[in-house]
Amino acid sequence: MADESKGTKISRRKFVKNSGYVAGGVVGGGLIGSLLGVNFGGTEQTSTAPAQETKFNQALMYFTRQADFNTLGAATERIFPTDDNGPGALELGVPYFIDHQLAGAYGNNDNEYMQGPFYTGTPFQGYQSALKRHEIFMQGIRALDRESEANFNDSFTNLEEEQQDEILQSFEADEVELKGVTSSEFFEMLRTATLAGAYSDPLYGGNDDMEGWKMKEYPGSQMSYINEIEDDDFKEIEPSALNEHL
Amino acid sequence: MVKKLDKVDAVTVGVGWTGGIIAAELAKEGLNVVGLERGSDRDTEDFQMIHDEYRYAVRYGLMQDTSKETLTFRNKPDERALPMRQLGSFLPGEGVGGAGDHWNGQTWRFLPYDFQIKSETDKEYGEDKLSEDYTLQDWGITYDELEPYFYKFEQTAGISGEENPLGAPRENDYPTGPMKSSPILDRFKEAAKNLELHPFQMPSANLSEQYENPDGETINACQYCGFCERFGCEYGAKSSPNVTVIPTAMKTGNFELRTDSNVVEVLHENGKATGVRYVDVKTGEEFEQPADVVVLTSYVLNNTRLLLQSEIGEPYDPETGEGVIGKNYCYQITAGADGYFENEKFNTFMGAGSLGATVDDFNGNNFDHTDLDFIHGGSLSITQTGRRPIESNPIPKDTPKWGKEFKEQSLHYFNRSLSVSAEGASMPHRNNYLSLDENYKDAYGNPLLKLTYDFTEQDRNLHKYLSEKAADILHEMGADIVEENEISEHYDIVPYQTTHNTGGVIMGGDPETSAVNNYSQMWDMDNLFVVGASAFAHNSGYNPTGTLGALAYRAAEGIIKFLDEGGQLVQADKNSQLV
């Protein structure tokens, strides 16, 4: 069972590469939606693999334009790319993780002090924006595309990897003008949200099939290590998620 | 309309470790106590989904809701203070059990040197060791006087440990034996011995065995699952107020726990506290709870804020050095080093909050400071707290923070890196203090607390020294790459450092330079006690909970004595100990 599932993963990864999407090839929003939504987790990939259920929780809760969502996906993939170690942000479901987070407490800064007046502080006083995170993400994602058009005459998703990196670096270095927030603050938010999506419990929609944990040799949510804690050898443990605690 | 309730013997503000200890001790004596807690009810059964790094460690599931209340911050008195809009540098708790639910459980006794730091430093190194800007002072109590209270807290919590060869002397063994060691800890201990240091197993509130405390409460045995820090324990195996003192108080029938109750003012008349005013956070209704004794048992920051807001005691003025409320705010210096091992993997994901090994050779006055440009020091430890994947991406310096190389390196080193870290003692400075903010208010319309704080020269020198020592140990442990931590240009409110904030309502022998006596009783108001790390006149090189537990047991004894006899429990020492 485990082997079969691994086989599916590899073919899935190849499929992503061959689609040209990860390499920055031209793919329309609708097609990407269907790739991510159906074919990646779909039943029609291989005839030998056991039937996998469609992931009905992979739909958009926050974003309203698929183009924005695709830009987000391409940016997260540059931050955490697919490589020989395993899947990147797209295949792990990170864009869905971020979409769902932006629709909730995280996107709306529910537990944060949002009263004014707002002033720009020193670099040691922390985040002082009047904007909520979902507004920052939306503005930042649109700006990624705007900068891409301005510099390379194409949308962010259509750029070569190196060009995408260049755009992201300009955000990281505060070279892009945004309203009410700096581009480096947006970039840092995007970076940390990408890592959270790659490694949080799969219940949040990222870390698909615990592949993020497997790459990191992290066993997830285990009940006890009392019988192993004193052992000298490194333990390779099949990960477990919170689903098992129900 | 404020609704006035029936008077009780004592009311506590906050129900964490200190509030729980006060409640248990008073209720056992037959006194009736009300515990007011701004957060919600919470217990072990709320921790069944606790193995969730994202919910609890990244999004701070058990911590203070800063949308309602936060503080403002600036590095220097001449800067504009701005709100800490989201948590970062430290993580205060909220809800029953307070920060005692999500602590790691590292339970120390401060050194004898700590309690008499001013006189001891002057005696050994002369009065000019630190400049006049450092407001160093004795605590008005000695370690020997506090020793029984330390033990009482350790017994309540069932602390697991072994003798620290360079620590404060103990009259009794720890209630339970040390936790299991692990290859990571063994490696540290062996390297430390090779360097002629004195390693031992860290004292822990993650218990090595099931234990019944003197109040009859059972704490279970730790399972080493790796989810302590920032998490509650689903096994009831980490000592917390919820599994010890709160149930003890409840069983007496004399304690009423009132949640969702946010205290906004200490009421007083003619130099006597009459009770507290609080808001029901669910309904907005206001209540007045009269009491013979009012006990502030909330976090360091809120203890100070309530006094300032209620106009009790003289606020500290950094320009004149006069006044005491808000004075001597201290933090800790988190020095250390990281080591990267190319050919070995460790089970870093296993562990417990206090699974660690420590050396005290560079702490307090355990080493000669004659030729050094700082005083005190810090404990140096390796801890195996359960490494988690979102926030732990160990990469050597100069590795990019994202992209292909980042991914490669952070995966590679996740189980191939170890850190030795120091809890560096922080000495009080005249420009580091707490006051009320003029511009920003909380959800109830009251001014936020304002923190003015920056690292000092003493901090920088100590940081460098301790980081070098940590690096020596990692080299001896066989790390291929060793990198010392660097201190930031100024104290930064954003990255997490430590939730070991102290001071603001400090303890001492002289009312001119301290706010409370050694029973945590206010010099200015006999029936008001302010309990917790807010009483620390400086911060030491250890986690503070053991010491605040000891002070809480001492305060409980004082409150019982006060209810019997009245008046000031301690004769003020008229000689100022201030530099």
Side-chain angles (χ1 to χ4, degrees):
Chain A
M1 186 70 187
D3 286 343
E4 278 172 349
S5 124
K6 200 177 173 195
T8 309
K9 282 291 161 204
I10 287 164
S11 69
R12 191 187 299 182
R13 188 150 61 239
K14 276 184 185 156
F15 181 66
V16 179
K17 278 186 171 169
N18 294 342
S19 75
Y21 177 66
V22 170
V26 184
V27 185
L31 178 53
I32 290 164
S34 72
L35 287 175
L36 290 170
V38 181
N39 290 352
F40 283 13
T43 54
E44 59 225 273
Q45 267 187 60
T46 59
S47 53
T48 52
Q52 286 186 317
E53 282 182 40
T54 304
K55 291 175 176 163
F56 291 110
N57 63 355
Q58 293 202 338
L60 300 185
M61 203 184 280
Y62 173 72
F63 287 98
T64 47
R65 295 183 192 173
Q66 281 208 344
D68 293 331
F69 184 67
N70 296 341
T71 301
L72 169 72
T76 59
E77 180 69 18
R78 295 312 307 145
I79 290 168
F80 197 82
T82 300
D83 66 4
D84 294 341
N85 293 295
L90 280 175
E91 202 183 339
L92 290 169
V94 168
Y96 290 103
F97 166 87
I98 294 176
D99 171 79
H100 294 186
Q101 287 297 309
L102 290 177
Y106 169 82
N108 287 289
N109 303 41
D110 275 2
N111 295 325
E112 283 145 41
Y113 189 80
M114 297 300 281
Q115 293 181 43
F118 290 88
Y119 298 100
T120 304
T122 70
F124 307 96
Q125 288 178 302
Y127 172 71
Q128 294 294 334
S129 177
L131 302 177
K132 293 186 171 179
R133 283 197 196 84
H134 74 86
E135 296 172 303
I136 293 172
F137 266 84
M138 185 58 90
Q139 190 190 170
I141 286 164
R142 295 263 166 95
L144 282 173
D145 256 333
R146 193 183 65 221
E147 290 298 306
S148 303
E149 292 286 352
N151 290 296
F152 300 110
N153 298 315
D154 213 338
S155 69
F156 185 80
T157 48
N158 286 345
L159 302 184
E160 299 293 326
E161 289 179 3
E162 292 73 18
Q163 295 172 322
Q164 289 178 329
D165 287 351
E166 219 176 285
I167 296 288
L168 290 170
Q169 280 154 5
S170 69
F171 275 72
E172 190 182 22
D174 263 338
E175 289 161 10
V176 180
E177 206 53 38
L178 298 180
K179 273 170 91 168
V181 67
T182 65
S183 67
S184 64
E185 282 171 324
F186 160 65
F187 180 81
E188 184 56 20
M189 244 172 239
L190 177 68
R191 189 186 76 87
T192 52
T194 301
L195 292 177
Y199 293 128
S200 59
D201 192 280
L203 80 89
Y204 295 100
N207 188 17
D208 189 34
D209 209 16
M210 303 185 282
E211 289 289 337
W213 289 348
K214 287 173 195 166
M215 281 186 280
K216 221 165 181 174
E217 296 186 285
Y218 176 71
S221 174
Q222 303 289 328
M223 289 309 288
S224 171
Y225 296 114
I226 194 167
N227 296 321
E228 293 92 11
I229 190 73
E230 293 166 300
D231 294 354
D232 278 319
D233 51 325
F234 181 75
K235 303 290 180 188
E236 291 178 22
I237 300 167
E238 188 67 23
S240 157
L242 275 168
N243 180 264
E244 291 187 25
H245 294 233
L246 282 174
Chain B
M1 269 301 288
V2 182
K3 188 179 174 190
K4 195 164 176 173
L5 303 166
D6 293 337
K7 192 175 177 182
V8 294
D9 293 320
V11 62
T12 75
V13 179
V15 184
W17 266 124
T18 54
I21 289 169
I22 300 297
E25 293 305 291
L26 268 52
K28 282 195 287 185
E29 288 291 310
L31 299 162
N32 60 33
V33 185
V34 164
L36 299 173
E37 166 57 47
R38 68 183 172 179
S40 54
D41 196 11
R42 187 164 77 187
D43 214 339
T44 301
E45 64 186 344
D46 291 298
F47 303 143
Q48 288 160 1
M49 290 291 143
I50 206 76
H51 288 190
D52 186 340
E53 182 187 12
Y54 188 64
R55 190 200 310 200
Y56 294 105
V58 180
R59 302 250 54 86
Y60 310 133
L62 300 180
M63 283 65 167
Q64 178 175 324
D65 177 357
T66 52
S67 74
K68 292 206 175 72
E69 180 189 331
T70 183
L71 49 73
T72 64
F73 162 70
R74 58 185 178 180
N75 284 124
K76 301 282 175 208
D78 59 359
E79 272 177 17
R80 187 207 308 267
L82 293 175
M84 179 179 75
R85 296 187 177 278
Q86 52 197 30
L87 293 176
S89 176
F90 45 85
L91 302 170
E94 184 164 290
V96 174
D101 275 7
H102 56 79
W103 71 316
N104 267 328
Q106 300 168 17
T107 311
W108 299 90
R109 298 174 170 199
F110 281 10
L111 294 162
Y113 170 72
D114 279 308
F115 301 100
Q116 292 161 292
I117 191 166
K118 171 68 178 153
S119 22
E120 290 291 312
T121 302
D122 288 355
K123 194 171 78 187
E124 198 135 349
Y125 305 110
E127 291 191 12
D128 303 329
K129 185 69 180 172
L130 291 184
S131 83
E132 285 182 8
D133 290 335
Y134 294 87
T135 49
L136 202 65
Q137 58 193 71
D138 292 352
W139 291 35
I141 194 164
T142 63
Y143 172 76
D144 288 344
E145 289 172 279
L146 262 182
E147 205 276 343
Y149 305 100
F150 272 114
Y151 188 54
K152 192 153 191 194
F153 180 66
E154 288 163 359
Q155 282 183 299
T156 297
I159 301 305
S160 301
E162 66 185 12
E163 187 77 28
N164 169 1
L166 298 173
R170 305 179 54 85
E171 289 288 315
N172 306 84
D173 289 337
Y174 283 99
T176 51
M179 298 185 80
K180 291 171 186 290
S181 196
S182 73
I184 293 174
L185 272 52
D186 292 343
R187 186 79 161 250
F188 172 91
K189 290 173 187 169
E190 193 191 326
K193 278 181 196 153
N194 293 345
L195 296 169
E196 295 179 354
L197 304 173
H198 301 81
F200 60 97
Q201 192 84 356
M202 178 177 275
S204 167
N206 323 130
L207 298 206
S208 60
E209 59 188 86
Q210 196 187 62
Y211 167 79
E212 187 183 314
N213 79 9
D215 294 318
E217 310 300 339
T218 298
I219 309 155
N220 290 317
C222 176
Q223 297 300 305
Y224 302 84
C225 73
F227 284 81
C228 280
E229 184 187 29
R230 306 190 183 190
F231 306 91
C233 180
E234 77 268 44
Y235 293 102
K238 174 171 69 176
S239 289
S240 71
N242 312 57
V243 299
T244 57
V245 288
I246 294 170
T248 296
M250 289 289 190
K251 279 175 201 164
T252 64
N254 299 325
F255 175 60
E256 187 195 340
L257 171 60
R258 227 174 272 161
T259 53
D260 298 321
S261 302
N262 187 63
V263 175
V264 290
E265 190 182 359
V266 178
L267 302 165
H268 55 99
E269 265 175 36
N270 306 322
K272 189 172 184 294
T274 55
V276 297
R277 185 166 59 90
Y278 70 94
V279 181
D280 182 314
V281 304
K282 291 277 201 307
T283 65
E285 287 175 281
E286 284 197 32
F287 296 91
E288 183 184 329
Q289 177 60 65
D292 286 331
V293 172
V294 173
V295 194
L296 302 191
T297 53
S298 59
Y299 198 64
V300 174
L301 304 165
N302 202 46
N303 278 356
T304 306
R305 176 170 173 244
L306 272 175
L307 292 176
L308 292 170
Q309 204 169 286
S310 310
E311 298 184 339
I312 298 171
E314 181 72 20
Y316 170 70
D317 179 345
E319 283 187 23
T320 62
E322 288 169 8
V324 289
I325 310 300
K327 188 184 164 190
N328 282 26
Y329 171 83
C330 285
Y331 197 47
Q332 271 180 337
I333 308 309
T334 52
D338 303 316
Y340 299 87
F341 298 75
E342 281 311 320
N343 304 313
E344 288 173 274
K345 285 201 280 189
F346 304 93
N347 295 314
T348 56
F349 47 82
M350 302 178 186
S354 320
L355 181 63
T358 301
V359 293
D360 250 347
D361 300 72
F362 308 107
N363 200 1
N365 207 19
N366 287 345
F367 59 114
D368 183 17
H369 294 66
T370 308
D371 297 324
L372 299 172
D373 45 11
F374 61 88
I375 64 164
H376 213 301
S379 56
L380 270 178
S381 303
I382 198 158
T383 52
Q384 191 175 348
T385 58
R387 190 170 280 179
R388 301 178 298 269
I390 301 174
E391 295 203 309
S392 181
N393 292 285
I395 44 173
K397 280 171 194 162
D398 304 327
T399 308
K401 283 174 73 188
W402 55 280
K404 191 173 167 52
E405 195 184 341
F406 166 80
K407 184 183 174 190
E408 179 79 33
Q409 299 286 326
S410 59
L411 292 175
H412 178 71
Y413 285 118
F414 183 65
N415 288 310
R416 287 184 179 87
S417 63
L418 300 174
S419 298
V420 172
S421 53
E423 284 191 58
S426 162
M427 296 301 113
H429 188 276
R430 63 180 302 152
N431 287 338
N432 290 337
Y433 65 102
L434 302 167
S435 55
L436 284 186
D437 193 86
E438 302 83 1
N439 303 310
Y440 293 94
K441 296 195 183 331
D442 70 7
Y444 312 97
N446 295 307
L448 296 183
L449 190 71
K450 178 163 64 183
L451 166 64
T452 305
Y453 182 75
D454 206 354
F455 296 136
T456 63
E457 270 311 296
Q458 147 85 25
D459 292 334
R460 293 178 191 288
N461 299 336
L462 178 66
H463 187 284
K464 187 165 181 289
Y465 183 84
L466 291 174
S467 296
E468 284 169 9
K469 299 297 177 194
D472 291 345
I473 297 174
L474 281 162
H475 279 298
E476 185 63 28
M477 288 171 71
D480 297 292
I481 305 169
V482 175
E483 293 178 341
E484 289 172 30
N485 294 357
E486 284 164 19
I487 195 165
S488 64
E489 187 188 345
H490 294 285
Y491 167 66
D492 185 345
I493 201 82
V494 179
Y496 182 76
Q497 287 147 75
T498 172
T499 309
H500 299 165
N501 320 65
T502 62
V505 194
I506 61 175
M507 179 176 286
D510 179 356
E512 292 286 310
T513 58
S514 62
V516 295
N517 67 28
N518 61 33
Y519 284 102
S520 299
Q521 181 184 30
M522 289 282 298
W523 289 116
D524 290 347
M525 202 169 278
D526 294 349
N527 68 333
L528 178 61
F529 289 73
V530 185
V531 186
S534 52
F536 294 6
H538 68 275
N539 204 350
S540 183
Y542 296 122
N543 304 58
T545 309
T547 300
L548 80 84
L551 293 180
Y553 274 106
R554 166 106 181 147
E557 194 182 290
I559 293 165
I560 292 164
K561 207 169 149 189
F562 170 80
L563 282 167
D564 206 28
E565 300 168 10
Q568 273 290 319
L569 300 167
V570 178
Q571 173 109 35
D573 167 12
K574 292 296 172 200
N575 298 321
S576 173
Q577 295 159 324
L578 194 59
V579 180

